[in-house]
Amino acid sequence: GILPLDSEESGVCEVILIHEHCLVRKPEKVCWIEAAGSVRDGVRAYTALHYLSQVSPGKTVLVMDGASPFGTIAIQLAQHRGAKVISTAYSLEDKQYLERLRAPVARVIDVSNGKIDVAESCLEETGGLGVDIVLDAGVRLYSPEDESTSKSALLPHKHDIITLLGVGGHWITTEKDLQLDPPDSHSLFLKGATVSFLNDETWNLSNIQQGKYLYILWRLRILEDVMEKLSSSVFRPQLDEPIPLYEAKVSMEMVQKKQARKRQVIQF
């Protein structure tokens, strides 16, 4: 299950009391560690690809930072739906990881040296048509000299996203402070494209959506060729080794500082 925003529990206590709407039954074929480590990213990926963009066979999906836990599941879920996937990598290790996936992505764009143009690469891969769906991992809103961190410099500029987006495309963003100027909106208008915000807690904000939320959780765990085949590596989450409860504080600090690249699971 997933703790809602208004939960009074921390998630690391011995007894947690939460509403049944936040819980679903775990299939026997899925181990506890994989279920715990993939449920949130699975819900996010399913929300982005099914409800916000309606991925289908033949579409092209660009997943930013595909070697992240969320990116890994999003890539595999898009491939399961028959989409062609392009992904960016922020390091040589990330690129090698993506190239080793059982179902390899169509193209891995290594942006670690800052010399590769993401928009140009995507347009080249799609014959100039642009991609149908973009799942970003954050975007640059300003010029490189205005950015304060090196990680921000690796992110694509918002204009790059709009440029590589195809006609009728869907841009799913995790950038909560996204700012679109009138020229940006005009470009999206001419393409008939849409921008949607991926909020992890969307399904917990309205009681009327609880049924749909449970449906997502349930489908993610028993969806044919996805969760049922975790053991055969068809659908594998990006997990670190489980950690004991007494190391939870240190692990949480790493997650908050964005120093953890794999999903952390606490084992009681």
Side-chain angles (χ1 to χ4, degrees):
I2 295 179
L3 293 177
L5 282 172
D6 59 354
S7 174
E8 298 179 355
E9 310 289 348
S10 67
V12 292
C13 52
E14 294 183 357
V15 178
I16 302 176
L17 302 177
I18 59 177
H19 197 279
E20 61 180 0
H21 284 165
C22 300
L23 298 171
V24 291
R25 186 180 298 275
K26 182 187 71 67
E28 295 182 0
K29 293 183 179 181
V30 179
C31 73
W32 289 105
I33 294 176
E34 290 181 334
S38 60
V39 60
R40 178 168 291 280
D41 290 321
V43 170
R44 294 182 71 204
Y46 198 87
T47 300
L49 294 174
H50 181 74
Y51 285 97
L52 298 180
S53 60
Q54 297 180 344
V55 65
S56 59
K59 289 191 174 182
T60 304
V61 180
L62 170 62
V63 179
M64 299 292 186
D65 194 12
S68 65
F70 168 64
T72 298
I73 290 184
I75 287 174
Q76 295 172 94
L77 191 55
Q79 290 174 331
H80 171 73
R81 291 298 184 90
K84 174 183 177 180
V85 179
I86 304 172
S87 180
T88 60
Y90 290 161
S91 67
L92 178 61
E93 292 75 14
D94 288 352
K95 180 181 179 182
Q96 293 173 344
Y97 168 78
L98 292 171
E99 292 174 342
R100 290 195 302 267
L101 290 177
R102 182 168 182 175
V105 298
R107 183 166 185 168
V108 179
I109 306 173
D110 186 358
V111 298
S112 59
N113 57 15
K115 299 179 180 180
I116 303 298
D117 189 300
V118 176
E120 181 180 336
S121 299
C122 290
L123 291 174
E124 178 184 350
E125 184 66 30
T126 59
L129 298 177
V131 302
D132 300 300
I133 301 170
V134 177
L135 273 66
D136 71 32
V139 295
R140 283 192 293 113
L141 304 178
Y142 312 104
S143 56
E145 57 268 18
D146 296 329
E147 298 290 350
S148 59
T149 63
S150 57
K151 179 64 178 296
S152 299
L154 298 178
L155 298 176
H157 195 279
K158 59 182 178 180
H159 298 312
D160 296 332
I161 301 290
I162 296 175
T163 299
L164 63 85
L165 198 61
V167 173
H170 301 277
W171 176 9
I172 314 302
T173 182
T174 60
E175 185 64 54
K176 62 181 179 180
D177 298 322
L178 180 66
Q179 300 176 26
L180 294 179
D181 301 320
D184 302 329
S185 298
H186 185 64
S187 297
L188 292 170
F189 170 78
L190 292 176
K191 291 186 176 185
T194 62
V195 179
S196 299
F197 291 87
L198 182 58
N199 176 7
D200 295 1
E201 305 293 344
T202 295
W203 304 106
N204 286 325
L205 299 179
S206 174
N207 291 333
I208 199 172
Q209 299 286 0
Q210 292 288 354
K212 189 183 295 184
Y213 176 64
L214 278 178
Y215 172 77
I216 293 176
L217 287 175
W218 181 249
R219 286 294 301 274
L220 277 170
R221 286 194 171 94
I222 63 172
L223 191 62
E224 187 177 2
D225 295 332
V226 183
M227 296 298 280
E228 193 177 82
K229 293 186 177 179
L230 280 171
S231 60
S232 61
S233 299
V234 174
F235 187 74
R236 302 288 294 182
Q238 177 76 300
L239 300 178
D240 209 338
E241 291 295 325
I243 60 175
L245 181 59
Y246 62 82
E247 294 183 8
K249 182 177 182 295
V250 175
S251 178
M252 179 59 68
E253 291 176 348
M254 293 178 59
V255 171
Q256 292 174 338
K257 295 178 181 178
K258 301 186 183 302
Q259 296 175 343
R261 283 293 290 167
K262 296 183 179 181
R263 187 62 63 216
Q264 302 287 317
V265 178
I266 298 172
Q267 188 170 27
F268 289 90

